[in-house]
Amino acid sequence: MRKRIIAGNWKMNMDHIEGSSLASLILEGIGEKELPCEVVVIPPFTTLPAVAEVFAGSKVDTGAQDLWYEDAGAFTGEISGSMISRLGCRYVLVGHSERRHILGEGSGILALKLRAALRAGLTPIYCVGEAAEERESGNAEDVVEKQVREVLEGLGPEEISRTVVAYEPVWAIGTGKTATPEDASGMHSFIRGLIAGIFDKEAAGRILILYGGSVKPGNASELLGCGDIDGALVGGASLDAGQFLGIIFS
Ligand code: PEP
């Protein structure tokens, strides 16, 4: 039985003061309740230390939104995996669609970043997903296959066992449009099949594949009820404690 992860990507929202308050509200909302899944909060870099402090000793994990692919050195403005892990973070996003499309990150750099995350002992959440025109032209699976192969091929068995994939159709991110449970779970089982082909059945059975794209309390349980969907990467709704908690406990 695979575990479930609900991860909240705060994107470029919440400074360290606002972020501490939101983290405290999330903790208060969880209270003494048993968490039905692993919960990860992914704030901006400058907010991360404050949020990690609020969640220290709790059941909520933290993650970063990006990392650089070298471990240290003359890379002005960049943050290494070890800097992130030393804050107590366990996760890092790699290849979020906003970094692919706004900042032009492609498979070459993403493969290096994913390996840097693993080297630092972090769990990379590797984001893949097709754009609207790619889905409309019937190329969604080809696009996702390329993204998966170009970055994950060549990982060792131990490395793939520490990697999480997030399927986030670009047209569903921040738009209020959600993939139907059938379309989402179809793509998730396609990705799982790819992992079986590249690695083996054991790796495919074990890998967590999260869905992202306008997940809200109202649609979470239907999406999360699909067999191959192991959790959610949540953007907008993770900025509101009530909505995020609604998804966690859906
Ligand atoms: C995201 O940022 O990864 C995301 C899925 O955003 P939203 O939930 O707002 O669509």
Side-chain angles (χ1 to χ4, degrees):
M1 176 86 174
R2 293 184 295 268
K3 67 178 177 186
R4 176 177 285 184
I5 296 180
I6 303 293
N9 171 19
W10 289 1
K11 311 194 188 201
M12 199 176 73
N13 298 293
M14 301 286 154
D15 64 27
H16 66 290
I17 298 164
E18 297 161 333
S20 301
S21 309
L22 178 54
S24 301
L25 284 175
I26 293 169
L27 266 193
E28 272 168 39
I30 293 171
E32 298 301 311
K33 291 193 269 301
E34 192 70 41
L35 280 179
C37 55
E38 203 165 311
V39 176
V40 186
V41 169
I42 308 178
F45 283 131
T46 52
T47 302
L48 202 40
V51 166
E53 205 174 305
V54 173
F55 288 136
S58 80
K59 292 176 214 136
V60 179
D61 282 311
T62 49
Q65 296 176 14
D66 185 41
L67 80 168
W68 190 240
Y69 60 77
E70 295 283 357
D71 298 334
F75 303 101
T76 302
E78 295 299 338
I79 302 288
S80 72
S82 66
M83 290 173 180
I84 295 165
S85 67
R86 288 199 72 184
L87 286 173
C89 289
R90 290 186 50 210
Y91 292 88
V92 63
L93 298 181
V94 174
H96 189 277
S97 81
E98 285 144 21
R99 299 202 63 88
R100 288 182 189 267
H101 296 282
I102 303 171
L103 296 158
E105 292 190 357
S107 292
I109 195 169
L110 297 178
L112 293 171
K113 287 186 173 193
L114 188 125
R115 283 154 182 79
L118 291 165
R119 238 180 6 254
L122 295 163
T123 298
I125 302 179
Y126 176 52
C127 305
V128 298
E130 80 287 355
E133 33 323 338
E134 292 164 336
R135 174 154 286 264
E136 279 150 23
S137 59
N139 290 324
E141 288 190 348
D142 290 347
V143 169
V144 169
E145 175 164 0
K146 196 164 181 288
Q147 293 170 337
V148 168
R149 284 192 182 281
E150 287 180 347
V151 171
L152 300 187
E153 266 177 350
L155 291 180
E158 191 268 339
E159 292 173 314
I160 191 66
S161 76
R162 293 198 286 122
T163 299
V164 171
V165 171
Y167 169 57
E168 299 205 299
V170 180
W171 48 269
I173 298 180
T175 58
K177 292 182 197 156
T178 318
T180 61
E182 295 72 36
D183 284 347
S185 69
M187 187 61 92
H188 281 231
S189 48
F190 175 72
I191 295 169
R192 207 174 291 287
L194 282 176
I195 300 294
I198 300 169
F199 300 96
D200 54 28
K201 269 192 169 165
E202 200 197 321
R206 201 161 41 184
I207 195 161
L208 299 182
I209 308 176
L210 315 183
Y211 171 78
S214 299
V215 176
K216 310 273 179 232
N219 59 22
S221 65
E222 201 182 2
L223 286 160
L224 295 169
C226 299
D228 272 308
I229 301 184
D230 303 313
L233 181 53
V234 184
S238 70
L239 295 172
D240 178 278
Q243 287 199 41
F244 192 49
L245 290 161
I247 294 168
I248 293 168
F249 291 103
S250 66

